[in-house]
Amino acid sequence: QVQLVESGGGLVQAGGSLRLSCAASGRTFSSGTMGWFRQAPGKEREFVAAITWSWNGGSTYYVDSVKGRFTISRDNAKNTVTVYLQMNSLKPEDTAVYYCAAGANPRTWSTGYNYWGQGTQVTVSS
């Protein structure tokens, strides 16, 4: 099992920045993917960003609407992996509940997630 705990959400004015954190503990993967998704009221959950790793390297992926504004990164500790989502130049349309997710297959970085966090609210005021 993998436990994911998100933090860092809040209220920010348009143009501002926030950094979300996701601390993962429990089972570790020698290769895998961790991602951020978001769900706005009345809308379906959408992919935002992912970071993958494997024996031969890793990659990052973003939905077009956040490219150039959001950055995903990963920090490894002994028994904990923390994934960050740095969000700059925030827009009101970025308002949503943001969820962290983890999966074991780096090739299915857009859909292959078995573990989910509880979500953190991000609100961008105009």
Side-chain angles (χ1 to χ4, degrees):
Q1 288 290 332
V2 176
Q3 293 78 43
L4 302 174
V5 179
E6 300 118 330
S7 61
L11 173 64
V12 64
Q13 288 188 331
S17 299
L18 283 175
R19 187 176 81 157
L20 305 183
S21 300
C22 175
S25 59
R27 176 185 174 188
T28 58
F29 302 114
S30 57
S31 63
T33 178
M34 289 188 70
W36 288 95
F37 291 74
R38 65 187 179 187
Q39 187 166 20
K43 295 187 177 181
E44 293 187 353
R45 186 172 61 193
E46 68 166 347
F47 167 81
V48 176
I51 186 165
T52 66
W53 65 93
S54 65
W55 64 272
N56 63 348
S59 297
T60 56
Y61 304 91
Y62 301 92
V63 67
D64 286 347
S65 60
V66 308
K67 285 180 180 177
R69 300 189 298 122
F70 291 11
T71 303
I72 189 170
S73 60
R74 187 171 74 109
D75 180 45
N76 287 349
K78 183 176 181 180
N79 294 311
T80 301
V81 173
T82 302
V83 172
Y84 301 98
L85 185 67
Q86 178 67 44
M87 305 185 295
N88 299 327
S89 302
L90 282 161
K91 304 175 181 180
E93 50 264 43
D94 295 317
T95 295
V97 177
Y98 283 70
Y99 296 91
C100 175
N105 188 346
R107 290 178 292 181
T108 58
W109 50 267
S110 64
T111 59
Y113 294 93
N114 304 106
Y115 306 98
W116 294 84
Q118 79 285 356
T120 185
Q121 176 70 45
V122 171
T123 303
V124 184
S125 63
S126 58

